[in-house]
Amino acid sequence: MSSPTAVPTASAAPRPDLPLDPEAAISVRGLVRRYGSSTAVDGLDLDIHRGEIFALLGPNGAGKTTTVEICEGFRRRDAGEVRVLGQDPATGGRRWKAQLGIVLQSGAGDSQLTCRELVRSQASYYSDPRDPDEVLELVGLTEKAGVRGRALSGGQRRRLDVALGIVGRPTLLFLDEPTTGFDPEARRQFWSLIRSLRDLGTTMLLTTHYLDEAEALADRVGVIARGRLVEVAVPSALGGRGSAPAVVSWTEDGVRRTHDTHAPTALVAELAARFGGEVPDLAVARPTLEDVYLRMIGQPTPEERTA
């Protein structure tokens, strides 16, 4: 079996002639960041619209974290233009920083302070913060307001991290792997929280390794590999998913058969007529987000690994 290769897309090619988008929450052109002889980000272009949830996907070492840290103003760039909420992050002052909310992978989990004390303390840094008790209610921690941070469960700690990130009424919220270590129920509860924040008008940049999370939450997703943006699309269309043929499989004469088709309904009807009703072990599938993502970053899909 030959090694898979990343899928090139013309729309992802760097466009140094394309001006920054003044209406975007984040607009990046030709971003470059080097570490010695290694180029972590290599001419990346990106626009994130105001009010959307944008998921940035990519393997470790692809340049994802570096790109986000440059947008947050925590890391310098070697070349390119960046505007976040209309400001260059390299020169952003206190007023600009007050518009950002940042939820890192590690937060206030081991604090001796209570949830209410932590949120009130964070609120004191802003001129017009949300009411701390309202924030605790929004993230589902009202009943834990008097509990110390270190006594919270993992899911509750992440909710507290979000509370600290949104108490200043951020226009733009950065979420770094927000549900790592969550059980399935806690993840879905957290997803509901993120959707409620979008309903309040918050723009969010989400980094995650969970493909189902990106599909459930993101208005658009971007795949980054080797420091470049491979493609940006709505989850259902990424990598040509929307136009890819369906794979119809069934069992006939004791043999598992498969057929790729752009007209799966017609094929299933034909099979049903042939079998006189039920088609043995019938299955119809299209490429998953995981399938197209793995091909984009040059990794084999689960089916290719077992082939």
Side-chain angles (χ1 to χ4, degrees):
M1 182 180 68
S2 60
S3 300
T5 56
V7 178
T9 58
S11 61
R15 290 285 310 277
D17 59 316
L18 190 66
L20 292 165
D21 182 354
E23 302 299 322
I26 296 176
S27 191
V28 177
R29 295 292 181 271
L31 180 62
V32 175
R33 175 59 172 150
R34 303 182 185 92
Y35 299 101
S37 60
S38 175
T39 301
V41 183
D42 187 15
L44 184 140
D45 295 340
L46 175 65
D47 288 312
I48 297 177
H49 308 316
R50 291 179 184 263
E52 76 171 336
I53 299 177
F54 188 96
L56 189 59
L57 310 177
N60 291 334
K64 179 172 75 261
T65 298
T66 296
T67 298
V68 172
E69 289 179 345
I70 290 171
C71 291
E72 293 170 340
F74 291 145
R75 193 173 297 276
R76 68 173 182 83
R77 63 186 184 269
D78 292 307
E81 293 184 276
V82 181
R83 294 294 182 272
V84 176
L85 303 179
Q87 176 70 48
D88 185 339
T91 59
R94 290 172 60 92
R95 183 173 297 181
W96 173 78
K97 291 177 181 177
Q99 299 179 75
L100 308 183
I102 299 174
V103 179
L104 303 175
Q105 289 191 46
S106 58
D110 289 329
S111 176
Q112 292 281 7
L113 298 178
T114 67
C115 294
R116 181 179 286 114
E117 289 169 341
L118 284 164
V119 177
R120 283 180 174 173
S121 175
Q122 185 77 358
S124 68
Y125 292 107
Y126 298 93
S127 60
D128 183 29
R130 288 188 171 103
D131 178 82
D133 288 326
E134 290 180 3
V135 171
L136 289 172
E137 181 179 1
L138 181 62
V139 301
L141 288 178
T142 297
E143 295 182 359
K144 300 293 182 180
V147 176
R148 298 180 191 275
R150 66 184 309 172
L152 299 175
S153 68
Q156 291 165 348
R157 290 182 183 187
R158 294 307 280 155
R159 288 174 177 269
L160 177 57
D161 290 337
V162 173
L164 297 173
I166 67 173
V167 70
R169 302 182 189 272
T171 303
L172 173 61
L173 181 62
F174 294 91
L175 295 160
D176 185 15
E177 304 287 346
T179 62
T180 298
F182 277 29
D183 61 51
E185 181 179 359
R187 289 180 68 212
R188 278 160 179 76
Q189 290 175 348
F190 194 87
W191 293 354
S192 295
L193 167 61
I194 297 307
R195 293 186 183 106
S196 70
L197 292 175
R198 177 176 54 190
D199 292 342
L200 293 174
T202 307
T203 304
M204 283 169 272
L205 173 54
L206 165 73
T207 61
T208 181
H209 286 295
Y210 297 122
L211 277 298
D212 61 333
E213 184 160 273
E215 189 152 31
L217 292 178
D219 299 295
R220 294 187 303 147
V221 296
V223 177
I224 187 171
R226 293 176 292 280
R228 289 197 173 190
L229 205 60
V230 180
E231 185 178 351
V232 174
V234 298
S236 61
L238 192 73
R241 287 179 72 198
S243 59
V247 179
V248 179
S249 56
W250 70 97
T251 300
E252 187 172 4
D253 299 327
V255 178
R256 191 67 177 161
R257 304 181 186 278
T258 62
H259 185 78
D260 293 358
T261 177
H262 286 283
T265 303
L267 177 57
V268 170
E270 177 186 322
L271 290 170
R274 191 161 86 209
F275 283 98
E278 291 293 321
V279 181
D281 304 318
L282 176 67
V284 180
R286 292 188 184 273
T288 66
L289 184 59
E290 180 181 15
D291 291 336
V292 299
Y293 166 72
L294 290 172
R295 290 194 178 106
M296 284 180 175
I297 65 173
Q299 296 295 320
T301 67
E303 292 77 10
E304 289 168 337
R305 293 192 196 104
T306 58

